[in-house]
Amino acid sequence: MSSKSKMYALLIGVGDDLPYTIKDATKLYDTLIDPELAGYEKDNVILVCDKEATRDGILNSLDKLIETTNEDSSVLIYYSGHGGKYMSQHKFFLQPYGMTAENYATHWVMAEELTEKINAIKSNKIVFLLDCCHAEGMTQEGLLNMEGLAQKLNDKGGMWVISSCQDNQKSWRLPNAENSLFTECLLEVISGNHKKPFTEPNVTITDVVEHIFDEVPKRASKCIDENTGEPINQRPFAKFQMSENVVLSNFPRNLESHAATITELAPNIEKLDERGLIKLLDAMSFLGRRDEAINILENHKKTSGDADLLNILGNLFKEKYLETNFEEPGLVSLEHHKKALEIATKEEDEQQIYLNSINIAFLYLLLDLSKKEVRFYADLAFNAAKNYYYPSPEKFGTMGEACIYLNQLEKAKENYNLASEKAGIRTRMNLYKDAYAVYTTLYDDNKDDPFLIFLNNKLLS
């Protein structure tokens, strides 16, 4: 997924009565094709602005994406302009260049058309970013109910839809800013300027969502709306379905940094303390060298007596099991988590007790070994997490998952509600993946099942 030759983008800046939207799309284009930043291949990025961003221009560009991409491609679609809802007909639309109140019926791009085009793109790794604003006097009702548009586009799965603001909010460009607030924050994270230091080799969609959701409301609230005299309220909205954590930008210099960490620490493995050893393992994971990390842990003198390290080793084998569906790494993972639990129990380490117990319950279930053991370890995990003093997303997520095993679904909802309040997007995704696997194995895989709808709305929205 990180191969630049497989990364495609369509960037639309309508212009018209919003001339800065052209700057939004153009600046994003320059950032994506910059070899020192995102590094997309220039031929893979389509820029459609101003007079080219008509209805036909937008739809034809989507057709070009359909023709040039395949199952292995990742696709980023970005739109900066007006969006709206035709209230009387319950139609959602984007407003292309040249659309007016008189010609809307032949010039707008309706959500149904976008859905059809996007569904025709073979990749299920699609990110759709909507930087849409509505102004007074706009042709229709303005940017209402972007959640509805997101739902229409997202029903078929495999994509992320992120809009710059909520229902009945404007998407702002702050005073003296070159770009809209949403796009300004997007550019920061795509460029790797969202964290100091930024050490990961890729920027993913979860990085984008976390930065935008944090920064847009914060910066907006520091400015006053001259019309109301109140602080500006702008909160992005996202809806997505789990296909994978889509890579949007590559940073080879960070790969070099992790390689340097390995070069520095690997020769002194036996002398490293636990923190140094975990730093080395993290660097290897960033570079996709999981088997080497496993080998280090299996042969390190500290591992056999350390619950934390055994838990990491168990998780590495669990990842391998879930990727391959081969039974052997699943069984190996189970044994490591059992050993970690034994040590944690002796040391009265409640955190490691609940972390390893919930993993054991998960593995017993997916390996189809013993439902009785599943319930035993789920109950153990729930009580250890409940008794753990410090609140955290993983504590409440563990309790939520344990309740699924124990058929206490209302209590599971209570704990997932608590977890989602504290968790970032990345953690919520991981909670969702495990909860979905457990529930569909035990109960129902119908997408209309009320509990699955709850998980989707609570953890993936």
Side-chain angles (χ1 to χ4, degrees):
M1 259 306 300
S2 60
S3 172
K4 296 178 182 180
S5 64
K6 298 176 182 178
M7 298 167 69
Y8 291 79
L10 167 60
L11 314 176
I12 302 165
V14 172
D16 224 348
D17 63 330
L18 296 174
Y20 68 85
T21 61
I22 298 173
K23 291 183 179 180
D24 285 347
T26 302
K27 184 69 177 291
L28 182 56
Y29 174 83
D30 292 339
T31 302
L32 291 183
I33 66 170
D34 188 332
E36 298 299 318
L37 297 174
Y40 282 55
E41 293 185 0
K42 192 171 183 179
D43 290 343
N44 289 0
V45 183
I46 305 169
L47 178 63
V48 180
C49 287
D50 201 28
K51 295 180 181 179
E52 296 179 354
T54 60
R55 169 186 164 82
D56 288 343
I58 292 172
L59 294 179
N60 290 340
S61 297
L62 286 165
D63 285 336
K64 185 175 180 181
L65 275 182
I66 294 169
E67 294 170 4
T68 56
T69 57
N70 57 38
E71 290 84 354
D72 296 324
S73 305
S74 67
V75 178
L76 167 63
I77 302 172
Y78 167 87
Y79 172 88
S80 185
H82 284 303
K85 177 184 178 182
Y86 194 173
M87 297 293 288
S88 63
Q89 296 186 25
H90 302 289
K91 291 185 180 295
F92 299 92
F93 63 89
L94 300 182
Q95 180 175 324
Y97 181 90
M99 175 179 154
T100 67
E102 290 74 29
N103 67 18
Y104 71 89
T106 56
H107 283 63
W108 61 6
V109 176
M110 292 184 291
E112 292 85 352
E113 296 174 293
L114 287 168
T115 303
E116 181 180 351
K117 295 291 185 184
I118 290 172
N119 284 342
I121 298 173
K122 296 181 180 65
S123 171
N124 68 347
K125 298 176 283 288
I126 301 173
V127 175
F128 193 6
L129 303 171
L130 292 158
D131 193 353
C132 304
C133 66
H134 70 277
E136 292 181 8
M138 183 179 166
T139 303
Q140 302 301 332
E141 295 292 331
L143 184 58
L144 295 177
N145 210 352
M146 284 306 296
E147 291 90 336
L149 177 53
Q151 180 65 55
K152 284 175 179 287
L153 289 167
N154 201 41
D155 274 344
K156 301 299 173 67
M159 68 174 298
W160 301 64
V161 181
I162 306 168
S163 64
S164 58
C165 61
Q166 299 270 331
D167 190 14
N168 291 322
Q169 292 179 348
K170 293 182 180 180
S171 187
W172 290 81
R173 181 178 58 143
L174 301 183
N176 303 316
E178 180 179 354
N179 300 107
S180 74
L181 176 56
F182 177 85
T183 297
E184 177 181 82
C185 294
L186 172 65
L187 289 167
E188 288 171 355
V189 66
I190 290 292
S191 302
N193 291 321
H194 59 304
K195 291 180 182 178
K196 299 293 183 182
F198 174 60
T199 60
E200 297 184 26
N202 301 305
V203 168
T204 65
I205 185 59
T206 54
D207 295 311
V208 170
V209 172
E210 287 175 344
H211 185 64
I212 285 173
F213 273 53
D214 184 38
E215 288 298 318
V216 169
K218 183 192 304 180
R219 298 182 194 182
S221 66
K222 294 179 180 178
C223 295
I224 300 298
D225 183 345
E226 293 180 356
N227 293 321
T228 66
E230 298 291 330
I232 292 172
N233 185 17
Q234 180 179 340
R235 292 180 297 112
F237 171 82
K239 188 169 181 64
F240 50 93
Q241 290 189 353
M242 282 294 302
S243 54
E244 67 176 74
N245 194 6
V246 183
V247 173
L248 297 182
S249 188
N250 295 278
F251 287 86
R253 65 178 181 269
N254 290 348
L255 290 173
E256 295 170 4
S257 174
H258 289 300
T261 296
I262 295 170
T263 301
E264 176 190 355
L265 298 180
N268 301 299
I269 287 176
E270 295 303 324
K271 297 179 181 179
L272 297 175
D273 61 11
E274 183 180 286
R275 186 163 52 179
L277 185 57
I278 291 173
K279 183 179 180 181
L280 173 61
L281 297 170
D282 285 343
M284 288 184 165
S285 295
F286 278 128
L287 297 180
R289 294 163 62 174
R290 181 177 59 203
D291 287 343
E292 289 181 61
I294 287 174
N295 184 59
I296 286 173
L297 278 173
E298 286 182 322
N299 293 287
H300 200 282
K301 62 184 180 182
K302 293 181 184 294
T303 304
S304 61
D306 190 306
D308 295 288
L309 295 179
L310 282 167
N311 181 42
I312 293 172
L313 183 57
N315 283 332
L316 290 171
F317 274 104
K318 177 184 171 184
E319 289 174 8
K320 198 169 186 177
Y321 165 59
L322 294 175
E323 285 181 11
T324 63
N325 288 318
F326 294 161
E327 185 179 57
E328 182 180 357
L331 293 173
V332 174
S333 174
L334 182 61
E335 290 308 308
H336 287 310
H337 282 300
K338 281 186 172 182
K339 180 61 176 176
L341 175 60
E342 180 183 336
I343 295 170
T345 302
K346 290 179 181 177
E347 296 176 349
E348 298 183 350
D349 184 342
E350 290 170 336
Q351 185 179 33
Q352 284 299 327
I353 290 173
Y354 76 69
L355 289 175
N356 285 284
S357 295
I358 203 67
N359 271 312
I360 293 170
F362 182 88
L363 290 162
Y364 264 112
L365 177 66
L366 266 66
L367 289 164
D368 197 22
L369 297 176
S370 168
K371 294 293 196 301
K372 182 178 179 180
E373 294 293 309
V374 167
R375 293 190 295 273
F376 172 80
Y377 284 105
D379 188 62
L380 182 61
F382 180 88
N383 287 309
K386 183 179 179 181
N387 293 328
Y388 186 63
Y389 182 78
Y390 301 99
S392 68
E394 61 185 15
K395 167 189 167 102
F396 295 117
T398 294
M399 294 170 70
E401 184 179 330
C403 288
I404 300 177
Y405 296 114
L406 300 171
N407 195 24
Q408 299 173 6
L409 298 183
E410 290 306 312
K411 189 179 288 188
K413 290 180 180 180
E414 292 174 11
N415 284 287
Y416 281 122
N417 281 327
L418 291 170
S420 68
E421 291 173 4
K422 296 178 177 294
I425 294 294
R426 197 186 306 269
T427 300
R428 286 162 56 192
M429 286 171 55
N430 290 331
L431 292 176
Y432 175 85
K433 284 193 291 186
D434 283 353
Y436 181 87
V438 171
Y439 187 83
T440 54
T441 302
L442 283 173
Y443 302 102
D444 195 350
D445 62 357
N446 178 1
K447 69 175 185 177
D448 296 323
D449 179 89
F451 190 78
L452 291 181
I453 292 173
F454 163 81
L455 289 176
N456 191 291
N457 291 336
K458 182 54 60 175
L459 299 177
L460 296 187
S461 293

